[in-house]
Amino acid sequence: MAIAIGIAEVQRIDRSDESAIIEAIVQDGCCIIKNFTNVETVKKVNKEVRPYIEADKPWKGDLFPPETRRCTNLVGRSQTVRDKWIVDPIIRKLTGFFVDKTTSNFYGETKHTYTSEAICSIAMTFDIGPGAKAQRLHRDDKNFHVDHEDQTVTGYRKGSDVMMAFMVPGVKTTFENGATTAIPGSHLWGSDRAPRTSEAIVAEMELTDCWVMLGGLYHAGGANITESERRILHGFFFARGFYRGEENIYLANSAEDVLSWSPEVQKIMGYELSSPNIRFVNFKTPLQHLRGEQLDEYGDFDLSQEAK
């Protein structure tokens, strides 16, 4: 088990100590919230997502190990998630501090101040089976093309992250079944610094914990080296609320109308993906979804990454 230089453990803080949680995230880019939820709630969510997990297909590509199964549209498919987790006050407290954006401007001589609150960009359950290889260390904010400034000397600048994630385990996560690995403090690195696996530590979690991290933190799902355990994680990823079109044309136009448009218009109006993974529908492109296409397998959307 690799240990990051100078940091032996991810900070573990009870949900009641909100100021300490914020301080830990500022310092390390991550922490584990203790007593985030209870066992009964976790079991309810596990049960609600099970049919979708079992119906999912293996992934062909680099984004997920083929042993992984997923439940997309988690908020839409789990009433317990809607009632308990996505609206939890501690989540709103943290997204408000780290992700919300407030700016002021003038209409004539009158000053107006606006706050765009964070929205849930994606919510998904991951079920990782035995034999799954570890992910490569990565930043989740790659989708938003963030140019990271080096803050290792100046310290964390509030507002420099545009998203953050919360992961609630459906089972106890361990090094053996593939618990998340991360490099605390890597949210302060500039874009030119590459992560090394020797710098990462393992964030094992109990059933009632919640892993929270900033979008700029280097992390990865670990390898599942067990013979029979499946690692289940329920994830919620929040982004700035203005990272979407001003006009909601997706509700204003029927599928029939959109499919009659030229490919150029469809792309301009947002019916193609933004590289690498923005705006998919159950792992299909928007146009595949509108055409009612059934896929035999799922795979990476963007194949332009550099060679391994």
Side-chain angles (χ1 to χ4, degrees):
M1 185 183 304
I3 300 295
I5 298 172
I7 300 177
E9 285 284 342
V10 172
Q11 295 192 59
R12 301 168 186 271
I13 305 169
D14 191 84
R15 65 169 294 146
S16 63
D17 197 344
E18 294 180 352
S19 61
I21 291 172
I22 290 174
E23 289 178 12
I25 298 171
V26 167
Q27 175 184 314
D28 296 338
C30 61
C31 78
I32 290 174
I33 302 174
K34 302 297 295 181
N35 298 309
F36 172 78
T37 187
N38 57 63
V39 173
E40 180 182 2
T41 300
V42 173
K43 288 182 177 179
K44 284 183 179 179
V45 176
N46 287 350
K47 182 178 180 180
E48 288 168 349
V49 303
R50 178 50 48 190
Y52 305 101
I53 293 289
E54 293 176 350
D56 194 27
K57 300 181 178 69
W59 190 267
K60 183 179 180 181
D62 189 63
L63 189 60
F64 300 107
E67 296 83 3
T68 298
R69 299 294 181 270
R70 297 145 298 266
C71 172
T72 57
N73 187 23
L74 178 57
V75 173
R77 289 170 165 171
S78 169
Q79 181 177 345
T80 306
V81 168
R82 292 195 300 273
D83 292 345
K84 299 289 187 180
W85 290 348
I86 202 73
V87 294
D88 191 291
I90 189 65
I91 288 183
R92 179 66 199 116
K93 177 80 172 184
L94 296 176
T95 57
F97 185 90
F98 287 101
V99 183
D100 285 9
K101 181 70 172 180
T102 299
T103 55
S104 298
N105 61 74
F106 285 89
Y107 278 120
E109 297 182 4
T110 305
K111 187 177 183 179
H112 294 255
T113 299
Y114 307 99
T115 297
S116 178
E117 295 187 357
I119 60 167
C120 184
S121 175
I122 177 175
M124 185 183 305
T125 297
F126 308 88
D127 183 325
I128 300 91
K133 295 181 180 180
Q135 291 180 310
R136 288 181 286 173
L137 290 163
H138 61 281
R139 283 169 157 161
D140 277 349
D141 62 10
K142 63 184 182 299
N143 283 326
F144 301 109
H145 297 265
V146 177
D147 292 317
H148 284 275
E149 302 173 4
D150 188 341
Q151 301 177 65
T152 54
V153 175
T154 62
Y156 182 71
R157 178 174 59 82
K158 183 181 177 182
S160 57
D161 276 273
V162 302
M163 67 159 294
M164 67 188 309
F166 302 81
M167 305 288 286
V168 181
V171 298
K172 180 177 180 178
T173 65
T174 65
F175 171 75
E176 290 76 17
N177 68 17
T180 299
T181 63
I183 306 178
S186 60
H187 65 305
L188 303 175
W189 296 359
S191 294
D192 293 334
R193 181 172 175 179
R196 301 185 183 93
T197 55
S198 60
E199 298 172 289
I201 65 176
V202 178
E204 296 182 322
M205 286 193 286
E206 300 293 334
L207 204 60
T208 57
D209 291 343
C210 177
W211 164 257
V212 55
M213 65 180 173
L214 296 175
L217 185 83
Y218 277 107
H219 70 285
N224 188 337
I225 60 176
T226 70
E227 294 185 358
S228 59
E229 293 184 36
R230 301 195 68 86
R231 178 172 60 92
I232 302 170
L233 286 173
H234 307 289
F236 315 96
F237 303 80
F238 287 80
R240 287 186 169 166
F242 55 84
Y243 283 178
R244 49 185 167 171
E246 185 172 350
E247 182 181 17
N248 195 333
I249 57 113
Y250 309 108
L251 296 182
N253 298 282
S254 68
E256 182 180 10
D257 287 340
V258 173
L259 292 174
S260 72
W261 299 348
S262 71
E264 291 80 7
V265 171
Q266 291 170 341
K267 182 176 182 179
I268 289 170
M269 296 309 294
Y271 287 89
E272 291 288 355
L273 297 181
S274 173
S275 175
N277 305 309
I278 290 291
R279 305 309 277 177
F280 65 84
V281 185
N282 292 328
F283 296 123
K284 294 186 287 187
T285 70
L287 291 176
Q288 288 173 328
H289 174 75
L290 290 181
R291 289 193 291 261
E293 294 182 15
Q294 300 298 317
L295 304 184
D296 294 329
E297 59 184 22
Y298 298 137
D300 291 351
F301 300 116
D302 190 305
L303 303 178
S304 63
Q305 64 183 359
E306 298 178 19
K308 298 180 183 178

